[in-house]
Amino acid sequence: MIFILLIVIVYLKLSCNSSLDNSIGKDGGKTNGDPSSKQNIDGNKIGGDEIFDPIYDEDDEPNVQPKDEDEDDSIIEPTVEISSNINDPNLPEYEPNSGIDHNIDEPLEPIIEPTLEPELSPNYSGTLLDTIKSPNEISVMRILELDNCIEYLIEYKGTMVIGTSSFLYSVGVDMGRFCDVKLLDQNYRMIEDDWNPVAGQREIVPNRYTEAILTFGDESNEKFQLTIRAFDEGIAFQLQFKNPSDVFKSSSKSVDLTIQAQVNMSIGIEGILYQDRGGENGFASQALSKAIVNGWTWDLPMHPMTVQYSNEICFSLTEAENLNFESLRFATDSSFEFVRAYFKKTDFRAEKEIKTPWFTFILGSKPGDLIERAYIVDNLNEPCQIEDTTWIIPGKVFRDLALSTESGKASINLAVFANMNHILLDAGWYGDEYSKDSDPRNWKPIPKKGNFIIIIWFILILILIIYLFIFIYLFIFIYLFIFIFYLLKAPLDLVDVINYGKSKGIGVWLYVNDIALKKYFNEILPLFSSWGVAGIKFGFVNLSSSKDNERILGYIRECAKYKLMVNIHDNFRPTGFR
């Protein structure tokens, strides 16, 4: 019996060793004989359908192991922590001079310490017109001429981040590139203009960059100017057209105009694309190679768009100083290989000079850099024009939904206890926010919203009582009903609440829906100021056109004249304030 047991143990051990030899590579990376299921030593799948995991230890150097000539093709050596996924059959064919800085048919070289004087990719073709480098030569933008059209590319720490990309435009249904122009003039300056913000995370904001203004045109006249600012923290550029009719041809006097920048991320480096799905739909992500080859899984409606490459470099594309265009949007071309970032101006008239907002690339070596360097968006705006900023008090806000004198004072007491700075009387203090008859010049003693909330509370707790059949819940229901009914049906003396807040050092904000803003805006500003209101929250603002953006920015300027702070609900995204 013992002899038979020993034979079984020896057999099982030999079987396990054989299975282990077939399933584990030389360095411990599991392959199972299938290149598409290649994993790194942490077990993260980096081929097939899974998304590349960009998390790794900063101290680890990238290490791509070359394949031995006599090694079985079915076993692929794993990378340590990161992979370029260079054997992915879904990646596009490599073409010389395509803007890709790496031949995907060859293994990647180990990444070395970046140089501060990057050279052009050997895979690039075209005529170099200009190179703009940041003060410490960390960020670089190159302007080129290719097929008689103006192109650009962006590098960070010696590595290409955005491949060769075009500047585009569309007028109505017609789309074109900026071609058949010559570089007429070049002007440069170095700026060091650190400043002190009114509020924020930094006492001093660094503002140091190299600026280049490039003028393009033909033999007869100037067509447009391209202004570039190269920060160590990123790259920004904008286009200006002093006489748009020389560039944009249209048979109509008023059309929609878009100015676009192609964003070429087909540079032979794997990565992850993160995108904002708009509104309150959150963020989504997918492998960059899958997005390029198979098309985008989601639309790209909102900025920013963020990419983290596998070589430790990441960028976020956003906007700055958008004063009269729609918010930055993204789209893809028919081949899905390029993203187009574009600004749209509705009812464009060719006789008026136009200047785009800043296309802004925040660059970094790790995701946290993108957050820490977001101040370059503010740097791209004009300095603050408000002489007295003492009334601007940032901080936390407690929202009062009961909308009565008692609840307002109770909210103020809570704000004091919780070290908050403000309270907000939410929608309903002047009546139904969606009714055109509601007037924010007067407050309602019995807000209409109160009756609705009472009914909801009644129904919910009644359902709970019926479900549980416990008499104690009936007592709780009666108590809550009386308490909520008292608060919501109690009269609201708005000025009394505001004065009580002042005595406690707490500001009172008022919510005003966009329907009432459009109707009463010019009247409520002096009125709110006389009441002592600290700020206004714009509710459900419409931002469907460039005119809406101009209107909201105009509202903000007018509020500042009356020393009223502003909070904006929904899809408005600030593009820099100083």
Side-chain angles (χ1 to χ4, degrees):
M1 179 66 69
I2 295 175
F3 178 74
I4 295 173
L5 182 61
L6 288 174
I7 293 175
V8 171
I9 291 174
V10 171
Y11 175 77
L12 290 175
K13 182 174 180 59
L14 290 174
S15 299
C16 290
N17 289 339
S18 175
S19 175
L20 206 59
D21 290 339
N22 290 332
S23 62
I24 300 181
K26 214 163 26 175
D27 294 328
K30 300 178 182 180
T31 64
N32 297 326
D34 181 7
S36 67
S37 64
K38 184 177 62 171
Q39 299 180 347
N40 63 17
I41 60 175
D42 291 328
N44 294 321
K45 190 174 180 181
I46 54 177
D49 295 330
E50 293 296 319
I51 293 178
F52 164 79
D53 184 359
I55 300 176
Y56 45 80
D57 191 337
E58 293 181 356
D59 296 329
D60 288 341
E61 288 293 329
N63 181 19
V64 179
Q65 301 288 344
K67 186 170 68 173
D68 296 334
E69 294 181 358
D70 57 349
E71 187 176 344
D72 187 352
D73 289 340
S74 65
I75 300 179
I76 299 177
E77 291 295 334
T79 62
V80 176
E81 296 294 349
I82 64 173
S83 169
S84 64
N85 211 13
I86 57 177
N87 293 315
D88 190 339
N90 292 325
L91 283 173
E93 293 286 336
Y94 170 75
E95 297 179 4
N97 305 328
S98 63
I100 300 177
D101 69 346
H102 165 70
N103 188 333
I104 61 175
D105 294 328
E106 300 174 358
L108 284 171
E109 294 293 330
I111 297 176
I112 60 174
E113 187 69 18
T115 174
L116 293 181
E117 295 184 356
E119 298 298 329
L120 277 174
S121 165
N123 293 327
Y124 170 76
S125 64
T127 302
L128 177 64
L129 299 180
D130 203 350
T131 298
I132 300 89
K133 300 181 180 181
S134 65
N136 291 310
E137 301 186 356
I138 296 174
S139 304
V140 176
M141 181 169 177
R142 302 187 189 274
I143 303 301
L144 314 117
E145 182 181 5
L146 182 63
D147 297 330
N148 292 323
C149 297
I150 305 303
E151 310 273 330
Y152 79 94
L153 61 83
I154 293 175
E155 299 167 354
Y156 180 72
K157 291 186 175 181
T159 301
M160 186 179 294
V161 178
I162 304 298
T164 308
S165 304
S166 301
F167 300 99
L168 308 165
Y169 68 88
S170 65
V171 182
V173 296
D174 299 324
M175 179 177 289
R177 300 163 67 190
F178 293 98
C179 302
D180 301 319
V181 292
K182 301 297 181 182
L183 180 57
L184 303 179
D185 192 21
Q186 298 159 279
N187 291 288
Y188 308 91
R189 60 175 183 162
M190 297 283 291
I191 299 296
E192 184 172 340
D193 183 26
D194 298 353
W195 54 283
N196 302 101
V198 176
Q201 298 176 335
R202 294 174 176 266
E203 291 186 0
I204 300 176
V205 176
N207 186 25
R208 304 165 193 179
Y209 57 89
T210 304
E211 182 180 80
I213 301 178
L214 310 181
T215 302
F216 293 89
D218 54 24
E219 296 178 355
S220 60
N221 59 0
E222 170 187 325
K223 296 288 187 180
F224 64 92
Q225 285 185 335
L226 174 63
T227 302
I228 301 164
R229 291 185 182 177
F231 304 83
D232 286 340
E233 304 93 334
I235 295 287
F237 58 85
Q238 67 177 184
L239 292 97
Q240 182 175 3
F241 306 88
K242 295 183 177 179
N243 190 5
S245 59
D246 289 341
V247 181
F248 311 115
K249 307 298 181 182
S250 174
S251 58
S252 175
K253 291 183 178 180
S254 178
V255 295
D256 291 344
L257 169 71
T258 65
I259 306 296
Q260 310 177 24
Q262 199 178 61
V263 184
N264 178 6
M265 295 175 287
S266 303
I267 58 175
I269 304 176
E270 182 58 279
I272 300 292
L273 168 72
Y274 299 91
Q275 56 192 83
D276 187 344
R277 300 179 68 181
E280 298 178 356
N281 297 318
F283 291 83
S285 63
Q286 61 180 320
L288 195 57
S289 61
K290 184 180 294 185
I292 292 172
V293 175
N294 301 326
W296 303 91
T297 307
W298 305 279
D299 292 331
L300 291 164
M302 303 293 292
H303 69 91
M305 180 184 72
T306 300
V307 171
Q308 182 178 7
Y309 291 121
S310 60
N311 61 359
E312 303 186 26
I313 291 178
C314 49
F315 75 87
S316 189
L317 174 53
T318 184
E319 63 179 342
E321 199 184 26
N322 188 346
L323 304 179
N324 47 27
F325 280 76
E326 287 185 22
S327 184
L328 182 67
R329 296 289 192 269
F330 301 96
T332 56
D333 62 10
S334 57
S335 66
F336 300 110
E337 293 189 9
F338 301 101
V339 171
R340 289 181 285 112
Y342 66 92
F343 293 108
K344 181 178 180 181
K345 187 170 183 62
T346 49
D347 297 330
F348 160 70
R349 296 182 181 276
E351 65 271 12
K352 295 183 179 180
E353 178 180 340
I354 60 170
K355 181 170 63 174
T356 70
W358 293 93
F359 294 89
T360 307
F361 292 83
I362 305 172
L363 304 172
S365 300
K366 55 183 182 297
D369 291 341
L370 305 182
I371 299 174
E372 295 175 358
R373 299 173 179 182
Y375 54 79
I376 69 171
V377 172
D378 294 325
N379 289 344
L380 291 163
N381 285 261
E382 293 296 321
C384 180
Q385 303 297 313
I386 303 173
E387 296 181 1
D388 176 21
T389 60
T390 57
W391 54 273
I392 302 175
I393 305 174
K396 300 181 180 69
V397 181
F398 180 79
R399 184 168 60 169
D400 179 5
L401 299 175
L403 307 176
S404 69
T405 304
E406 294 299 322
S407 67
K409 291 182 178 181
S411 299
I412 290 169
N413 292 335
L414 176 61
V416 173
F417 176 79
N419 197 27
M420 297 184 180
N421 306 89
H422 310 275
I423 71 163
L424 166 71
L425 297 184
D426 206 1
W429 67 268
Y430 63 91
D432 181 2
E433 64 172 313
Y434 299 111
S435 172
K436 295 182 179 179
D437 297 328
S438 296
D439 187 348
R441 297 173 299 178
N442 301 286
W443 63 82
K444 301 288 186 180
I446 305 175
K448 297 178 181 179
K449 184 178 179 181
N451 296 328
F452 173 75
I453 295 179
I454 292 172
I455 294 171
I456 294 298
W457 269 96
F458 183 85
I459 293 174
L460 290 177
I461 300 178
L462 183 61
I463 292 173
L464 183 64
I465 294 170
I466 295 173
Y467 179 76
L468 296 176
F469 295 99
I470 299 176
F471 287 104
I472 190 172
Y473 284 97
L474 179 61
F475 171 78
I476 295 174
F477 163 72
I478 295 173
Y479 174 80
L480 288 175
F481 180 82
I482 294 174
F483 178 71
I484 296 170
F485 183 83
Y486 168 75
L487 287 180
L488 294 177
K489 299 294 285 186
L492 170 64
D493 188 335
L494 187 55
V495 173
D496 186 22
V497 173
I498 293 171
N499 290 335
Y500 184 76
K502 287 182 178 180
S503 70
K504 297 289 186 178
I506 302 297
V508 176
W509 290 56
L510 300 179
Y511 174 99
V512 182
N513 187 281
D514 199 32
I515 296 172
L517 282 175
K518 292 177 180 178
K519 191 173 182 180
Y520 299 108
F521 182 76
N522 292 326
E523 298 176 61
I524 63 176
L525 294 190
L527 183 62
F528 285 8
S529 180
S530 67
W531 290 349
V533 174
I536 307 176
K537 179 177 181 178
F538 301 166
F540 293 102
V541 295
N542 184 10
L543 289 171
S544 60
S545 71
S546 57
K547 288 185 176 180
D548 290 323
N549 190 36
E550 293 182 61
R551 177 175 64 90
I552 297 301
L553 291 174
Y555 285 174
I556 295 172
R557 295 188 190 96
E558 289 301 311
C559 286
K561 294 179 181 178
Y562 289 92
K563 298 185 177 181
L564 293 168
M565 291 178 281
V566 175
N567 174 264
I568 302 176
H569 191 239
D570 299 309
N571 287 326
F572 179 83
R573 302 194 176 194
T575 62
F577 291 103
R578 292 177 60 178

